[in-house]
Amino acid sequence: MTLPSFPDLQDTSVLITGGGSGIGAALTEAFLRQNARVAFVDIADSTGFVEQVGQATGNTPLFLQTD
């Protein structure tokens, strides 16, 4: 399956709240697949997700654990 490509998202900075699970994680992965620079915050430890999505997309997001 070929995913759509949006060249205008390449190198765009994106900040996602709750980006380590659910819809937020899907958004994180989708923006990484478009070669955007993604940072996300989450209350839960999402380091495992960061490693997984980094390997799957070739891009690693910045994760900040917040309360």
Side-chain angles (χ1 to χ4, degrees):
M1 178 170 93
T2 302
L3 297 175
S5 176
F6 300 96
D8 57 325
L9 292 176
Q10 185 170 349
D11 294 324
T12 300
S13 297
V14 178
L15 174 64
I16 300 171
T17 59
S21 64
I23 294 170
L27 288 169
T28 298
E29 183 173 352
F31 278 111
L32 288 171
R33 290 191 184 279
Q34 296 298 323
N35 294 311
R37 296 179 302 213
V38 179
F40 74 93
V41 296
D42 207 315
I43 197 167
D45 182 6
S46 298
T47 53
F49 170 69
V50 169
E51 293 174 10
Q52 174 206 354
V53 76
Q55 290 177 358
T57 66
N59 297 318
T60 303
L62 171 64
F63 163 58
L64 301 169
Q65 189 169 4
T66 60
D67 184 6

